[in-house]
Amino acid sequence: MTKEDLVRKVARMSGVTKDEATVVINATFAAIKAGLVNGEKLCIRDFCVFDIVHQKARRSRNLRENTEMAVPARSAVKIKACPALQRAVRESLPV
């Protein structure tokens, strides 16, 4: 599903125009991004949890050239689906 598909679906389900749905979706994404940039954890009940994880600097091996290389420390976004969402997907999709 693309962002445009999401806008159409939200507009249809909520009875608003596509333009209004676009504004709401863009504001939602902006709020999520702002929170994560500020280091905040975001929990959306029965959907998912957005969190920031900090990965330490480490040494790694380039197998193609058989050399060691340094991988710098970094921060990354971790998204974990809540049990209710996992269960809904598991029960609705065939294996």
Side-chain angles (χ1 to χ4, degrees):
M1 178 183 294
T2 65
K3 185 176 175 183
E4 183 61 32
D5 296 334
L6 180 63
V7 167
R8 274 196 297 270
K9 190 169 262 193
V10 167
R12 186 174 50 247
M13 291 174 75
S14 62
V16 298
T17 67
K18 281 177 50 177
D19 289 338
E20 292 170 331
T22 300
V23 168
V24 170
I25 289 171
N26 286 339
T28 302
F29 290 160
I32 291 170
K33 181 179 177 181
L36 292 171
V37 166
N38 290 329
E40 299 173 23
K41 181 177 185 175
L42 173 69
C43 300
I44 302 174
R45 187 175 198 90
D46 293 334
F47 186 64
C48 70
V49 176
F50 293 86
D51 201 3
I52 300 295
V53 292
H54 303 285
Q55 299 171 340
K56 296 186 289 187
R58 60 187 172 88
R59 304 288 302 165
S60 184
R61 180 165 289 283
N62 181 339
L63 297 176
R64 188 170 292 179
E65 298 175 11
N66 198 27
T67 58
E68 271 199 7
M69 53 191 269
V71 177
R74 68 185 188 109
S75 296
V77 177
K78 176 182 169 185
I79 304 172
K80 183 172 193 269
C82 291
L85 177 60
Q86 291 175 351
R87 188 173 35 259
V89 170
R90 188 174 46 246
E91 292 172 357
S92 65
L93 293 177
V95 178

